[in-house]
Amino acid sequence: MSEKFVLESSKEYQNYMSGNRIPFPQAIQIELTSYCNLKCLMCPKTLNKSRSEPDRKMDIEILDYLITSVIPYVERVDLVGDGEPLLAGDLLFHLLENADFLGIPVTLCTNGQLLDEPMSRKLVDLNLQDMNISIDAATGETYRKIRGADFDQLIRNIQTLNTVKESGNKSIPHLHFSMVAMRNNIEELPALIDLARKLGVESVTLQALGEESEDLKGQSAFLYHRDLTEEILYRCLVEAESEGFRLNLWPDQLTRILPTDIDLNQFLSGNAPPPGNPDEYRKDCSFLWKAPYITTNGDVRPCCAGLPAAGNIGKGNAFREIWFGRTFSELRLNILKNNLPEACLNCPGMGWKPVLKAKNTAHATDEILGRMPGWYSPELEERHFRWCTDRSVLFFHRSPSEKFLLMQLRKTALPGAPSSGQIGINSFDPIPFKLESTDWETLEFPLPETRSEELIKVVLEPSHTIRPIDIDPASRDSRKLGFKISRTWLEEWPQKVVFGSKLVLLGYEIIPESWVLEGEVLFRSFWRSLDQTVMNLKVGLHFSRESDSGPATSPLRRKFGISRKDFFQADHLLSVNGKFSSMWVPGTFIAHEHLFHVPDDIHAGHYRLELGLYPEGSPRERVPITRSDRVYDKDMTLLGTILITEREL
């Protein structure tokens, strides 16, 4: 693929991703306090490498500004930092109370030592969504070595929190454990997972420790006990999966790294990509586009690492001006151009991602959607899909022969959900559209003329978005949801077939490509109506075995005297949004799906696939083909050849 279709090398992509049309951040990270009540082995403050000013709490004026001007427009708040948020006292409760009123979930990272009964009751009453507890051990002795505190007290605190949740009939806050993999705790990982399950903890995240300083030399389990750590990790991953428990790994590419001879220290320090072609990877930082970091004094930073602040909301700067301002914009552009600041070059948290290559199709599970603005993570319902938000963007590699953009969309059944929107393609005027039902619909949009390959930008904008939490507070889903999208792609529509000047067959898809007797097949066809039809139309699919398809039956079938046919039909009535063809207005685009089974009473071999149309109830009266770019005979057009094999007995 041409270098210009590697997105990070494209000026169009760079300009958009560093401009002021990117979305407002999905989340904000807030450092309520830089105080802490423990001195932990791996803490940067303990190691005299403080990332913030001397111990302090956030000013109430700064917090109130965030509550009124920032938090209402994000989807999540993360309370993080080197300090202990539970030490923030009334500041914490003030934030949680207002976030709960706004329906914004809050995640809190804590060591759990201050989680007594009054604190637990307050957090439960204010609907804290998630609590990440840094525990790092499964025994009292190891916990004291790492955190210098009482392990039994921590366990009692968690049990107290669970009792408070149960008494209030609450399921939140959801509990999670984190563990930094060190030489003196890695063998306790299986016991920690068992403990987590007994305490109702939903996940454990194992973090790899890179060699950040001389003070930590020799502590990393992955660097200094690699074989042992690998054996324990894989065993725990298998057991967790079989038990339905979530064991997360950070960095998440570690399972691919461990069996290789890569310099693990260089990888964990952020200085080396995963194994393979280094040109296929680049450092990528989602914080610059999704989750800035707000310090106790109001600094707005790209992250918690060593990058300077882009502005300060405590000194009269509006957050929006900072987020869309010059400092952030230039930093984003430099990241896209791979001109990384030193802090990013040596950042273990800045992950290595495959370079983004524009294609002419995107499925819901494709990584490119996850790294484009305005898309949520893939979900599974009756098929994989992603939610779009108020403005979702995708870049495509387009050839001159591709004339149409297609999108498989679905609106939600929630009250007040959007049913209309618009599609923008490059700088041309947006094209409005409307969804007719809550079923999956395929929409077609014409592409502007071009004489060469090009990168095109597609912008999907619903008329509005909804938040499930505003409809049902029990959902706790504060995302701004537009439409569901399953797939979007570019299409040529060559070889059209016109039936009776009424209907045009634009194209078709068959899934899977290889068939077996008794197998299931999805036939997807695309049409456009030219004129009103009096009767509803049916598609006739005719499969006939070619003469050179081999022996009539296999020896096994001859032995049992099973006779086989050389043809079969798979007819179906055309409809879209519950409307049959007699109800379509001229110009309607139709994307129809028909699921059928390959009969078990036919010969295996190569079959010609032909398609015709006929009025419902009159299978002998085919609609005449008035024009065709395909081979046709007796008003049946040839689509292609299919190989059907016998299922293994």
Side-chain angles (χ1 to χ4, degrees), residues 462-533:
S463 59
H464 62 281
T465 58
I466 59 169
R467 297 197 315 160
I469 194 172
D470 294 333
I471 300 167
D472 178 13
S475 75
R476 307 305 298 173
D477 187 349
S478 65
R479 295 177 301 170
K480 301 170 185 175
L481 304 180
F483 303 117
K484 299 175 182 178
I485 185 164
S486 173
R487 179 187 173 211
T488 179
W489 73 101
L490 306 184
E491 185 59 77
E492 297 181 13
W493 296 142
Q495 298 186 307
K496 301 180 181 67
V497 184
V498 182
F499 291 88
S501 300
K502 301 286 187 181
L503 202 60
V504 183
L505 174 65
L506 297 171
Y508 70 96
E509 290 181 328
I510 298 179
I511 304 171
E513 295 181 355
S514 299
W515 298 5
V516 295
L517 297 181
E518 300 183 82
E520 197 172 70
V521 177
L522 177 66
F523 179 78
R524 184 181 289 130
S525 55
F526 304 96
W527 308 78
R528 187 182 297 285
S529 65
L530 299 177
D531 201 355
Q532 195 81 36
T533 61

Side-chain angles (χ1 to χ4, degrees), residues 239-256:
E239 291 176 358
E241 183 176 358
S242 66
E243 298 292 337
F245 183 82
R246 281 191 293 142
L247 173 57
N248 307 314
L249 191 60
W250 185 89
D252 56 8
Q253 294 169 322
L254 260 177
T255 51
R256 289 178 46 210

Side-chain angles (χ1 to χ4, degrees), residues 194-468:
D194 289 340
L195 176 63
R197 295 179 61 199
K198 292 175 183 176
L199 293 173
V201 174
E202 298 182 10
S203 70
V204 170
T205 298
L206 183 67
Q207 302 179 38
L209 178 65
E211 191 149 350
E212 297 185 28
S213 67
E214 285 297 319
D215 305 272
L216 291 174
K217 187 170 180 60
Q219 291 293 333
S220 172
F222 283 96
L223 293 181
Y224 297 101
H225 300 272
R226 187 165 178 170
D227 292 341
L228 172 65
T229 302
E230 182 178 355
E231 186 274 326
I232 293 173
L233 174 63
Y234 283 130
R235 175 160 49 89
C236 289
L237 283 170
V238 170
E239 291 176 358
E241 183 176 358
S242 66
E243 298 292 337
F245 183 82
R246 281 191 293 142
L247 173 57
N248 307 314
L249 191 60
W250 185 89
D252 56 8
Q253 294 169 322
L254 260 177
T255 51
R256 289 178 46 210
I257 303 299
L258 286 175
T260 69
D261 58 359
I262 189 174
D263 187 330
L264 191 58
N265 187 34
Q266 287 293 305
F267 174 76
L268 294 178
S269 300
N271 295 316
N277 184 357
D279 295 333
E280 293 294 313
Y281 292 92
R282 64 190 316 279
K283 297 201 78 172
D284 186 45
C285 183
S286 62
F287 294 123
L288 282 168
W289 285 271
K290 295 184 178 180
Y293 186 89
I294 318 293
T295 68
T296 54
N297 69 348
D299 279 346
V300 180
R301 299 177 179 271
C303 60
C304 64
L307 290 171
N312 186 289
I313 57 177
K315 298 178 180 178
N317 299 131
F319 178 83
R320 287 181 180 270
E321 293 176 359
I322 299 171
W323 179 250
F324 295 110
R326 181 176 177 179
T327 300
F328 260 111
S329 177
E330 290 180 350
L331 181 56
R332 292 183 187 114
L333 184 59
N334 282 325
I335 296 296
L336 293 169
K337 290 182 175 181
N338 216 26
N339 298 328
L340 303 178
E342 184 177 354
C344 297
L345 282 170
N346 301 315
C347 176
M350 192 174 181
W352 291 93
K353 300 287 186 181
V355 296
L356 286 176
K357 296 180 180 179
K359 301 183 295 183
N360 67 348
T361 184
H363 295 268
T365 53
D366 288 351
E367 184 180 12
I368 191 171
L369 281 174
R371 291 163 65 188
M372 293 290 102
W375 301 101
Y376 293 108
S377 299
E379 300 183 45
L380 179 62
E381 205 170 72
E382 70 280 15
R383 68 171 87 188
H384 280 95
F385 70 89
R386 286 181 191 258
W387 285 104
C388 73
T389 183
D390 55 350
R391 192 172 195 272
S392 302
V393 178
L394 184 60
F395 288 83
F396 280 112
H397 170 209
R398 178 202 177 180
S399 68
S401 61
E402 290 165 332
K403 306 296 184 184
F404 299 94
L405 165 73
L406 281 87
M407 282 191 168
Q408 290 181 344
L409 298 173
R410 185 174 186 176
K411 75 172 185 176
T412 179
L414 291 173
S419 60
S420 62
Q422 63 181 23
I423 288 288
I425 301 174
N426 288 351
S427 57
F428 292 86
D429 292 337
I431 305 171
F433 67 87
K434 184 176 179 62
L435 299 179
E436 300 295 335
S437 73
T438 55
D439 294 328
W440 285 102
E441 300 181 43
T442 302
L443 305 183
E444 176 200 52
F445 304 93
L447 295 173
E449 291 295 326
T450 185
R451 295 183 180 180
S452 62
E453 290 185 300
E454 63 175 347
L455 185 74
I456 65 170
K457 179 181 70 178
V458 175
V459 181
L460 171 61
E461 295 182 285
S463 59
H464 62 281
T465 58
I466 59 169
R467 297 197 315 160

Side-chain angles (χ1 to χ4, degrees), residues 535-538 613-623:
M535 301 181 68
N536 297 327
L537 298 179
K538 296 191 76 171
L613 281 181
Y614 60 88
E616 184 180 14
S618 304
R620 297 180 181 274
E621 299 179 12
R622 293 191 190 125
V623 178

